[in-house]
Amino acid sequence: MESESLKYDLKKVPKNRLKAWFGNFFYFYVMYLLSLQLFIYLIYKSLYEKSLVSGAILAFICTYQFYFAKRSETFIKFIKWLNFTQIFEDWTFVMEEPIQEKNSMIAFHPHCIFNIAFIWNNHINYEITPLASRVIYNVPFIGIFIRWLGISTVDAKNMKNKMKKGQNIGLLPGGFEEATLTSTQENRVYIKNRKGFIKYALQYGYTVYPSYAFGENKCYFTIEKFLSFRLLLNRLKLVGAYFISKYGWIPHHNFGIHTVIGKGIKLPQIVNPTQQDVNKYHEIYLEQLIQLFNKYKKEYNQGDQILKIY
């Protein structure tokens, strides 16, 4: 990868607002909201009204999702063509160095609501396998779109299988808890006790790249009260983030989203890392993430904010 390709700025790209708005409607309403409503409707018709037709449709779609749906280059090209990020005032992407061709792990922050930067950058700026929660992966109907995007699950078995092969992967270490912490007023990450990704990176000798998307926390109004209770819901694998924008599920867009991927942290391969090993390199990762945030925060309109660590 040439050095000039390490930075991408949407301001330099001609915008098609109408297509971008259609892309947002498709991505946030068709892929998520309408798909969920269709699933609930078919469940209701099948169980309450005993509709054989609805039951057959539900069974057919779920069978396709769980046994046949997979990454679709055609669907990914369609999402790229929609380019829904063009509704934002600006969209930049910076890599401090090229990503290795194998044995690379990109750790994204913050999760926020729809992790827009995570999904978009995976398919536009480099080719990695994005890993996400099994919950969203297995939600009927929504899971079809997730599979078409080439997203896989972040569970231990799947991660180990991919890392044994040296595949490059991207993940959101903060998970649901980091989504729950989303605040328009502060930059927050949930990482203190998230160390599993470091353990696996040590076991397979991966290079870990810390990444931060400045501005994504402003996409939605969120409920910030009752945080302890909402984090408790996350432990039960329930949603703890509640959000809305003035456009419903389509995000606010009168600002920029700026993603920076920092320099890689080359970890030694330790087949059986001790807790001390994990703690040591987790601390290095955390220091690098904070340094990355502090380095770019003024450039990307965060003023003197500090990165709050949970």
Side-chain angles (χ1 to χ4, degrees), residues 106-131:
I106 306 177
F108 289 82
H109 301 276
H111 185 292
C112 292
I113 305 302
F114 281 102
N115 34 83
I116 302 169
F118 172 71
I119 296 297
W120 184 257
N121 290 322
N122 283 334
H123 296 300
I124 301 302
N125 294 296
Y126 42 76
E127 284 297 326
I128 66 171
T129 300
L131 304 181

Side-chain angles (χ1 to χ4, degrees), residues 112 181-188 215-224 244 252 255 302 305:
C112 292
L181 288 169
T182 301
S183 166
T184 59
Q185 305 301 314
E186 295 181 330
N187 287 275
R188 301 171 174 176
E216 186 161 348
N217 61 316
K218 299 184 182 299
C219 286
Y220 298 95
F221 301 122
T222 58
I223 293 176
E224 297 187 35
I244 196 68
H252 297 135
F255 55 89
Q302 304 304 308
Q305 282 200 38

Side-chain angles (χ1 to χ4, degrees), residues 8 12 46 54 70 82 122 125-126 136 150 156 159-160 162 173 186 193 198-199 215 233 237 254 294 300 302 308:
Y8 169 84
K12 300 177 181 178
S46 302
S54 296
K70 60 182 180 180
L82 290 175
N122 283 334
N125 294 296
Y126 42 76
I136 190 70
M159 282 186 67
K160 289 180 178 180
K162 294 186 180 304
E186 295 181 330
N193 296 311
I198 295 294
K199 179 180 179 180
L233 292 178
K237 304 302 180 184
N254 58 334
N294 289 336
Y300 294 133
Q302 304 304 308
K308 297 199 72 172

Side-chain angles (χ1 to χ4, degrees), residues 124-173:
I124 301 302
N125 294 296
Y126 42 76
E127 284 297 326
I128 66 171
T129 300
L131 304 181
S133 166
R134 283 179 293 180
V135 174
I136 190 70
Y137 189 79
N138 291 318
V139 174
F141 299 6
I142 295 176
I144 293 176
F145 294 110
I146 298 300
R147 286 165 168 80
W148 284 352
L149 283 171
I151 297 172
S152 191
T153 58
V154 76
D155 59 283
K157 181 180 179 181
N158 188 48
M159 282 186 67
K160 289 180 178 180
N161 286 338
K162 294 186 180 304
M163 295 176 81
K164 283 177 184 177
K165 301 172 185 176
Q167 293 183 14
N168 287 355
I169 58 175
L171 48 77
L172 296 146

